[in-house]
Amino acid sequence: MNQLLQNDLNQLDAILEKTKQQGLSYTHQLNTRPTSTRATITKKDTLNPEGLGALGALEAFNERLEPLMVASSGPRYWGFVTGGSTPGAIVGDWLATVYDQNTQSENGNGDNSAKIELETIQLLLDLLELPKEYLGGFVTGATMSNFTALAVGRQWLGKQKGIDIAKEGVTPNLKVLTATPHSSALKSLALLGMGSNNFIKIKVVEGNREAIDPVDLEQKIMALEGAPFILISSGGTVNTVDFDDFEAISKLREKYAFWWHIDAAFGGFAACSPSHKHLLKGWEGADSITVDCHKWLNVPYESAVFFIKEKHRKLQVETFQNSNAPYLGDPLENFTYLNFLPENSRRLKALPAWFSLMAYGKNGYRDIVENNIQNALQLGAFVETNPLFEILAPVRLNTVCFSLAGTENQENVNIFLKKLNDTGKVFMTPTVYNGKKGIRAAFVNWRTSAHDIVEVTQLMETLAKA
């Protein structure tokens, strides 16, 4: 064995202890660690021939690279839709690394870790109050979840035309209908060869809404004259967390044939809140659903799940099966994720989610979700009552979409946001909504408190006045 490897193995306890202490230091400093940084590095392009050993590498990391790390898992990182990592999730993630499974088969030769993933999917279905008739799996994020679901939808679409797209390739004139899709769904259409611009846009409901207008949807369906299509609907749009009317869509399903996909990357967790679960009423009728775990479930990146109705198992296998690997057996008899999703090599991503779900249960996630909703309402109330700011859309769940007050200040929105982010006290992201430059704050972190909102709003007011 290489001598450095042997040395590291001999002192593994000390190495992991030092690493643990550094991790604890980071988590204990999350309230004060900057949410942005101007640190930069000169990139190295040569490798040390002898190596530094694990502790030497840790020292080199701390000298050069550690200053690049911002408090993205902390309570005031409100950019994008970024969750943190619960203590339970950290335990699961560390152990996923230690056990280092390639999670595929439920009853495989040498690895049955897929049993943990399948159990975790059942726990998530229970948390989100979805029926057990969905088959699910873990992927890297909403993009791959949308990709996986829409790939099976594409296969369904081809079958309606008598084509096996997985084997014969993409055919023209595949119809997709949507209103306000997330960029990851459009990216998935591009990856699937269907075209990110190749969709029929549905009108939204009037009155500062982003949700599908069911009347226009039916008109667009009728114009297809019976042609099959995919409908991409939203379980929480990214700017204003608007929800499509799933009950109305369910009624249309009784009249027309289409593949119904719901992108509920973070909005799906509204199911955890007794006062907001009505937003998802009817979503159990969808053929496929995207849910992100590294958002409101608060597990480390990269983690998301897809849910696809089990009745589509054959279509799913046709889409993803390893057709040139006979040693894998009959994909419908011997379940393996190899034949049900894109990746052939997979980390045990389910373990952090399993630990966090087991650690905090339904009540814990109800409290996280409802606390973040209160965070959003608190910031929204500040914006609505402060003459320096303008609310751009109602606070429907856990995001606040706002701008500086007055059309004359549109030129200053991005300047203001940069100054705000440069303080390192908070991080938010720019957006454009209804033609106006805006700012979006998204609340999904389990640590965020009312005190954080007060601290940030005071800073916002000071900078806006300046």
Side-chain angles (χ1 to χ4, degrees):
M1 180 184 292
N2 174 274
Q3 190 59 51
L4 277 176
L5 280 169
Q6 184 66 62
N7 292 343
D8 282 352
L9 181 60
N10 293 342
Q11 57 178 339
L12 187 58
D13 287 5
I15 292 169
L16 293 182
E17 179 62 29
K18 190 160 187 177
T19 306
K20 181 192 79 172
Q21 292 303 323
Q22 181 159 329
L24 287 173
S25 176
Y26 169 81
T27 55
H28 292 330
Q29 294 171 9
L30 272 176
N31 285 334
T32 56
R33 190 180 182 97
T35 53
S36 63
T37 181
R38 295 182 180 180
T40 186
I41 60 170
T42 301
K43 294 179 181 177
K44 294 177 71 69
D45 58 5
T46 57
L47 186 62
N48 185 316
E50 300 301 324
L52 303 174
L55 290 177
L58 179 61
E59 184 178 345
F61 169 80
N62 288 335
E63 286 178 0
R64 296 185 57 252
L65 308 182
E66 204 278 341
L68 299 176
M69 304 299 161
V70 300
S72 58
S73 53
R76 293 188 301 280
Y77 196 91
W78 305 343
F80 312 104
V81 189
T82 304
S85 296
T86 65
I90 292 172
V91 173
D93 199 61
W94 281 20
L95 288 178
T97 297
V98 170
Y99 288 119
D100 197 23
Q101 305 293 289
N102 183 8
T103 301
Q104 298 293 356
S105 301
E106 184 178 13
N107 298 297
N109 293 321
D111 174 25
N112 294 335
S113 59
K115 284 183 166 67
I116 298 171
E117 183 161 346
L118 290 164
E119 178 175 302
T120 308
I121 291 297
Q122 293 303 306
L123 297 177
L124 280 167
L125 290 172
D126 188 39
L127 178 72
L128 300 175
E129 298 185 2
L130 282 167
K132 302 298 185 181
E133 59 197 63
Y134 284 99
L135 173 68
F138 278 78
V139 287
T140 56
T143 302
M144 285 310 298
S145 179
N146 280 325
F147 175 87
T148 303
L150 292 172
V152 183
R154 185 188 66 173
Q155 186 72 356
W156 174 88
L157 205 53
K159 286 301 182 76
Q160 309 312 301
K161 296 172 173 284
I163 303 166
D164 185 339
I165 290 178
K167 290 184 178 178
E168 299 175 32
V170 176
T171 182
N173 299 318
L174 298 178
K175 306 296 185 184
V176 178
L177 274 62
T178 189
T180 50
H182 188 264
S183 59
S184 64
L186 299 182
K187 184 174 184 176
S188 298
L189 293 178
L191 292 170
L192 290 164
M194 298 171 70
S196 58
N197 288 332
N198 188 26
F199 63 89
I200 299 169
K201 190 167 181 60
I202 309 164
K203 292 179 181 177
V204 297
V205 179
E206 292 183 1
N208 200 2
R209 297 290 304 277
E210 291 187 296
I212 286 173
D213 179 346
V215 174
D216 188 60
L217 172 58
E218 183 161 20
Q219 290 175 350
K220 294 289 197 303
I221 293 173
M222 292 173 67
L224 294 177
E225 298 181 336
F229 64 94
I230 294 173
L231 174 67
I232 302 175
S233 61
S234 294
T237 56
V238 72
N239 263 336
T240 70
V241 204
D242 207 352
F243 287 74
D244 292 331
D245 186 340
F246 300 142
E247 289 186 292
I249 294 173
S250 296
K251 291 179 181 176
L252 291 174
R253 280 291 291 279
E254 297 172 5
K255 300 167 63 177
Y256 307 100
F258 56 93
W259 181 278
W260 180 15
H261 175 64
I262 298 176
D263 185 346
F266 62 96
F269 288 95
C272 300
S273 168
S275 57
H276 290 80
K277 65 172 62 179
H278 66 275
L279 295 169
L280 296 160
K281 194 172 183 182
W283 74 323
E284 67 277 2
D287 294 289
S288 57
I289 300 173
T290 284
V291 174
D292 237 336
C293 297
H294 54 230
K295 290 183 170 63
W296 230 338
L297 195 68
N298 279 262
V299 302
Y301 279 99
E302 311 147 335
S303 184
V305 293
F306 63 83
F307 298 125
I308 298 174
K309 284 281 177 68
E310 284 207 42
K311 66 181 181 181
H312 300 306
R313 284 169 68 100
K314 189 169 186 295
L315 288 171
Q316 199 168 345
V317 168
E318 288 174 358
T319 305
F320 295 115
Q321 67 178 325
N322 282 256
S323 56
N324 64 338
Y327 59 87
L328 296 173
D330 185 336
L332 286 174
E333 286 186 7
N334 302 304
F335 179 84
T336 172
Y337 275 111
L338 281 166
N339 296 312
F340 284 86
L341 42 67
E343 298 99 341
N344 278 10
S345 300
R346 307 176 65 241
R347 189 171 187 264
L348 183 49
K349 296 180 187 297
L351 200 57
W354 184 92
F355 264 89
S356 203
L357 288 165
M358 293 296 287
Y360 311 112
K362 289 186 177 181
N363 290 345
Y365 277 99
R366 178 202 64 206
D367 292 346
I368 291 172
V369 168
E370 294 194 334
N371 176 64
N372 286 150
I373 293 170
Q374 287 304 311
N375 296 151
L377 291 171
Q378 184 180 349
L379 178 60
F382 165 81
V383 170
E384 287 188 278
T385 57
N386 191 300
L388 297 169
F389 300 96
E390 173 189 1
I391 198 83
L392 296 182
V395 178
R396 298 188 176 98
L397 197 66
N398 64 321
T399 72
V400 183
C401 190
F402 68 99
S403 188
L404 295 177
T407 55
E408 71 280 4
N409 275 320
Q410 278 288 287
E411 296 178 0
N412 297 322
V413 172
N414 290 339
I415 297 171
F416 167 80
L417 179 59
K418 185 177 187 306
K419 288 183 179 295
L420 183 64
N421 287 342
D422 282 350
T423 66
K425 300 291 186 182
V426 68
F427 187 84
M428 304 185 209
T429 41
T431 190
V432 175
Y433 182 70
N434 283 343
K436 284 189 173 183
K437 293 179 182 178
I439 298 167
R440 194 193 60 175
F443 297 93
V444 287
N445 191 290
W446 64 278
R447 293 172 175 263
T448 307
S449 69
H451 175 77
D452 293 308
I453 312 302
V454 171
E455 184 176 341
V456 171
T457 52
Q458 290 173 348
L459 180 61
M460 288 168 57
E461 187 168 28
T462 299
L463 289 174
K465 285 179 178 177

